[in-house]
Amino acid sequence: MTSRGSAAGRDQPTTTRTSPTGLPPEGFAECVLCQKPTEYPESYRGITLCPVCEWQEAQRTACSG
């Protein structure tokens, strides 16, 4: 019988949206509310929000009627 091992035991590269220093990766703007990296480049004009804050803002401004 052979042992295949579990996914947790394998060395898999992890993808993070922050650098080892905790700063956003080069080229991405920070969210103006929580300072997490956004999907927008640093050169983007206007308010930049991370996906979570963008969704919450849409919920706040949505028509409830």
Side-chain angles (χ1 to χ4, degrees):
M1 199 190 286
T2 61
S3 174
R4 294 187 178 172
S6 66
R10 295 183 194 144
D11 291 334
Q12 296 179 350
T14 57
T15 56
T16 58
R17 296 197 58 164
T18 59
S19 68
T21 60
L23 298 174
E26 184 68 24
F28 289 100
E30 289 183 348
C31 176
V32 296
L33 299 176
C34 68
Q35 286 70 46
K36 290 185 181 178
T38 67
E39 298 173 345
Y40 300 102
E42 287 180 342
S43 60
Y44 183 81
R45 292 185 176 249
I47 296 173
T48 55
L49 299 173
C50 70
V52 173
C53 290
E54 198 168 291
W55 181 83
Q56 290 173 344
E57 184 66 21
Q59 292 296 311
R60 281 192 288 270
T61 60
C63 178
S64 62

